[in-house]
Amino acid sequence: MRFIDPHIHMSARTTDDYERMAAAGVVAVIEPAFWLGQPRTHVGTFIDYLSSLVGWERFRASQFGIRHYCTIGLNSKEANNAALAEEVMDILPLFLGKEGVVAVGEIGYDDQTEAEDKFYRAQLQLALDLGMLVQVHTPHRDKKRGTTRSMDVAIEMGLDPGSVIIDHNNEETVQEVLDRGFWAAFTIYPETKMGSERMVEIARRYGSNRIFIDSSADWGKSDPLAVPKTARLMIERGLPRSDVEAICYRNALAAFGPSGQMKEEDWLSQQPRDERLLYLGNSVLRGQVPRVDELPAIPEFDERRLVK
Amino acid sequence: MTPVEVLGGWLGVKLPESAQAWLANCIERCITGIADRDFYLLMSAVSRHVGKGPLALTDAELAAGSASRPGWDPRDWTLDQAVRVYLLCASTLGGAQCGVRLDRLCSAADIGELVAYYRGLPLYPEQPRYALRAAEGVRSNMRVVFEAVAHRNPYPSEQFAEAAWNQLVLKALFVGSPLAPIVGLDRRRNPTLARMLCDYAHERWAASRPVSPELWRCVGPFAAGPVLEDFARLFERGTADEQLAAALALREATDPGAARLLELHANVTRDGRDSSLAWERLTSTRT
């Protein structure tokens, strides 16, 4: 089975993670622009970070046979440094049009302050102007209200709910998100957000329509194999395979595909695009093409390959 | 015609119609003086408008290209790359502005953009200005970016000081890139590089790792003294490709000892008289 992890901060992960993910069947990842664990103090560090998302990290992923996409935005935590946030807003347009940028994100509320609200709205406007999708981070604290508010503001600004992904859902938020026509993403965190066991129950109850899961693995204790592991549990608990595929692969593609930047053929073709670029660049006089490692075979569902 | 005019001519026939209108509008804005922010916005979205198909130049077009700019070889360029370079050249009034914009573009570039901007080096105004930028490209860990500077690009051989040039050649071997597509490879050979390459070969041998036969192409003219022992080793223990490389390299040596060694292994020089063709074939037969 193939998997997409539509929310994972690979910059903070090791090559071991990339290898294990590829071996477990993860073919594509989306890396939202986020904070780095402590607040940045200069716009230059934002520029370098965003550059690495569209540049080095994308290349690094390709070395492991994984397609890397990203979302670009000003995260809610750092929106609270209003002076710096204004500077960041000025440089976002430099990056939003780049290849592999599938949405404005992750944006939204953290403490639900005035500053967060201001920059959330400004970025929704940017998405409207550029015809882009939006990936919304919902807050840890006062979650239900924060999630409702995120959707209220998006609709008020004129966004189509079908072009907005509401992330980090739980049992308390999912019904409203689905009722209002947004995409509902769930982060599988063993402790704080949503465990695999709970996710199985949600899938049983709500089905697979407009629902998908991600790991949100970052520099904290988190699990980059959360998507394939949860898929295994769903299969073990008897969920239909087509539902599992939808929740762990197809729906993420359906949600982010309309960006025009993420296509299934990107990973179904045998070489990652960047390596093809090398091929293209040297096809005439060079037999000694750059080493392109065979992509790992997509494993049939085999739990022995997964670390429990 | 200037190379930028040549490039513009190609785009006029190779871009799909929808992209033509977009480009014409961009050029209009660029030549009448575009604000930095608008320029960067426009550049960030080039591939969304013109796609990434090959520029696909014919032999005649390639000949016209190198007639307008000696050493320019855009055979591998894609449409988006050509448009980026064209817009950057068209929008700038001189080297200073071009340099500033190039640095800014590179600071926020994705991989494909970096490749474009480095491939464009031979076309920018006031050529010596970009040597540090080019050396930065050589330092990249992304091989496709490194090769945008190193391969089919006359800029390094024209503008790099010896130390930077030698790093480029050595890095190509380190990352497994072929040497044959490096423009000016033979002309820029030097004794220091030959010494670095021999040291590198010894390191590889000590670790029982293979050495690219192409390496010896840059050593040949300086083959003398103890280096001849390396060549003797190639003849005695090397693969067929390594033996051929040794023979091709030694043909350019001036040391009498080199001539004697070559004489001893005259049977190896099975290939024709055109050395550079033989080197390229040597590259292309390697797996």
Side-chain angles (χ1 to χ4, degrees):
Chain A
M1 199 182 282
R2 292 188 178 86
F3 302 108
I4 294 171
D5 191 338
H7 185 144
I8 181 164
H9 302 280
M10 290 311 299
S11 307
R13 309 302 306 191
T14 66
T15 52
D16 284 2
D17 290 337
Y18 268 127
E19 283 177 351
R20 291 190 303 151
M21 290 165 72
V26 176
V27 291
V29 294
I30 296 173
E31 176 154 9
F34 192 42
W35 76 312
L36 302 178
Q38 68 175 31
R40 278 163 283 210
T41 56
H42 298 91
V43 70
T45 52
F46 274 93
I47 294 174
D48 291 340
Y49 171 66
L50 298 177
S51 293
S52 77
L53 294 189
V54 297
W56 172 243
E57 199 55 43
R58 210 171 164 216
F59 173 80
R60 207 165 73 99
S62 76
Q63 300 301 289
F64 298 87
I66 292 178
R67 294 302 314 248
H68 181 279
Y69 307 88
C70 67
T71 66
I72 295 285
L74 169 67
N75 65 81
S76 51
K77 276 179 193 286
E78 286 171 300
N80 289 302
N81 180 347
L84 180 55
E86 292 288 0
E87 291 184 71
V88 174
M89 288 303 297
D90 282 343
I91 58 109
L92 289 182
L94 276 174
F95 293 96
L96 288 167
K98 295 209 189 286
E99 283 165 39
V101 178
V102 294
V104 177
E106 56 181 305
I107 61 173
Y109 296 107
D110 182 47
D111 284 345
Q112 303 186 50
T113 62
E114 269 179 48
E116 290 171 20
D117 187 58
K118 173 184 173 187
F119 291 106
Y120 176 51
R121 288 169 184 268
Q123 292 183 92
L124 290 176
Q125 189 59 50
L126 211 47
L128 278 169
D129 293 345
L130 298 172
M132 293 182 73
L133 307 173
V134 178
Q135 182 187 39
V136 174
H137 162 94
T138 52
H140 300 254
R141 300 170 298 281
D142 197 9
K143 184 170 207 70
K144 194 164 191 317
R145 182 167 169 273
T147 304
T148 303
R149 185 177 175 192
S150 304
M151 293 186 286
D152 289 346
V153 171
I155 287 170
E156 179 196 323
M157 299 276 301
L159 278 112
D160 168 12
S163 67
V164 178
I165 293 97
I166 304 290
D167 208 345
H168 315 318
N169 279 285
N170 62 24
E171 291 89 342
E172 298 299 308
T173 58
V174 56
Q175 186 70 58
E176 185 189 350
V177 171
L178 293 175
D179 286 349
R180 298 177 80 172
F182 291 83
W183 291 92
F186 290 82
T187 291
I188 310 299
Y189 259 14
E191 282 145 34
T192 56
K193 287 178 178 158
M194 170 64 54
S196 295
E197 300 269 349
R198 286 161 62 198
M199 191 63 223
V200 172
E201 291 314 309
I202 287 174
R204 224 190 273 289
R205 176 155 174 211
Y206 293 95
S208 63
N209 196 22
R210 276 185 288 119
I211 285 178
F212 56 90
I213 62 172
D214 58 63
S215 75
S216 293
D218 57 14
W219 29 253
K221 196 172 168 186
S222 43
D223 187 357
L225 296 184
V227 174
K229 283 181 182 175
T230 305
R232 182 196 64 213
L233 192 66
M234 288 176 171
I235 297 271
E236 281 174 2
R237 299 291 166 84
L239 263 70
R241 191 184 165 99
S242 62
D243 277 3
V244 179
E245 271 176 343
I247 290 169
C248 304
Y249 176 78
R250 275 204 314 277
N251 290 350
L253 179 59
F256 288 100
S259 66
Q261 296 299 302
M262 181 179 186
K263 301 184 185 72
E264 195 172 32
E265 72 207 39
D266 292 347
W267 54 86
L268 291 187
S269 60
Q270 271 306 293
Q271 284 111 25
R273 184 191 295 171
D274 295 331
E275 297 286 19
R276 279 214 309 272
L277 222 158
L278 285 178
Y279 264 80
L280 243 187
N282 298 285
S283 56
V284 187
L285 283 176
R286 297 177 41 183
Q288 196 215 18
V289 287
R291 241 164 285 131
V292 178
D293 294 331
E294 289 289 308
L295 295 189
I298 299 302
E300 258 314 294
F301 202 84
D302 179 359
E303 66 172 43
R304 285 166 304 178
R305 301 188 66 146
L306 296 174
V307 183
K308 291 204 183 184
Chain B
M1 277 208 287
T2 67
V4 178
E5 287 165 349
V6 171
L7 187 54
W10 292 337
L11 291 172
V13 291
K14 310 231 173 212
L15 283 180
E17 208 163 304
S18 56
Q20 297 280 3
W22 177 82
L23 182 64
N25 179 263
C26 291
I27 290 292
E28 180 70 30
R29 293 170 64 198
C30 282
I31 56 179
T32 52
I34 187 170
D36 281 342
R37 187 172 181 278
D38 293 336
F39 177 67
Y40 298 134
L41 253 174
L42 174 161
M43 289 292 264
S44 94
V46 165
S47 68
R48 296 191 180 201
H49 291 281
V50 306
K52 298 179 75 179
L55 186 59
L57 298 173
T58 64
D59 288 346
E61 287 166 333
L62 284 169
S66 68
S68 72
R69 169 59 171 95
W72 185 34
D73 184 355
R75 78 181 66 183
D76 303 326
W77 286 29
T78 55
L79 290 171
D80 62 309
Q81 290 167 356
V83 169
R84 285 181 201 287
V85 173
Y86 185 57
L87 285 176
L88 178 56
C89 291
S91 74
T92 52
L93 302 168
Q97 194 187 21
C98 186
V100 169
R101 285 190 167 171
L102 181 65
D103 281 344
R104 187 81 165 107
L105 286 169
C106 287
S107 78
D110 64 31
I111 306 172
E113 289 172 289
L114 284 175
V115 170
Y117 300 136
Y118 285 120
R119 283 184 164 175
L121 282 169
L123 268 56
Y124 304 143
E126 299 174 40
Q127 286 278 285
R129 282 184 178 274
Y130 314 96
L132 287 178
R133 166 55 51 196
E136 191 61 36
V138 170
R139 274 190 284 274
S140 173
N141 266 342
M142 295 179 269
R143 182 169 149 164
V144 63
V145 174
F146 166 76
E147 291 184 347
V149 184
H151 284 175
R152 307 194 198 294
N153 190 335
Y155 190 87
S157 67
E158 292 169 355
Q159 301 295 340
F160 275 15
E162 185 176 287
W165 175 260
N166 292 350
Q167 283 302 322
L168 180 147
V169 176
L170 200 56
K171 174 138 183 176
L173 290 163
F174 259 87
V175 301
S177 257
L179 301 190
I182 298 176
V183 176
L185 184 67
D186 289 339
R187 187 171 64 75
R188 292 294 312 264
R189 290 183 290 201
N190 62 77
T192 306
L193 176 61
R195 195 268 307 155
M196 291 164 84
L197 294 177
C198 287
D199 285 352
Y200 172 65
H202 282 259
E203 273 177 47
R204 301 275 301 180
W205 282 336
S208 303
R209 302 178 73 186
V211 175
S212 166
E214 281 194 289
L215 178 150
W216 306 105
R217 180 173 181 175
C218 297
V219 179
F222 313 101
V227 173
L228 291 178
E229 290 167 29
D230 294 339
F231 280 94
R233 173 190 166 122
L234 292 174
F235 282 125
E236 284 152 24
R237 287 190 266 160
T239 62
D241 280 350
E242 285 178 316
Q243 293 178 18
L244 175 58
L248 288 169
L250 285 184
R251 287 196 335 206
E252 297 190 71
T254 50
D255 185 79
R260 279 196 297 279
L261 188 58
L262 190 57
E263 190 63 30
L264 267 176
H265 300 279
N267 59 321
V268 173
T269 320
R270 58 171 191 250
D271 224 304
R273 299 203 177 88
D274 186 338
S275 287
S276 77
L277 206 65
W279 281 117
E280 262 168 31
R281 206 169 297 138
L282 198 56
T283 305
S284 66
T285 55
R286 293 193 64 224
T287 51

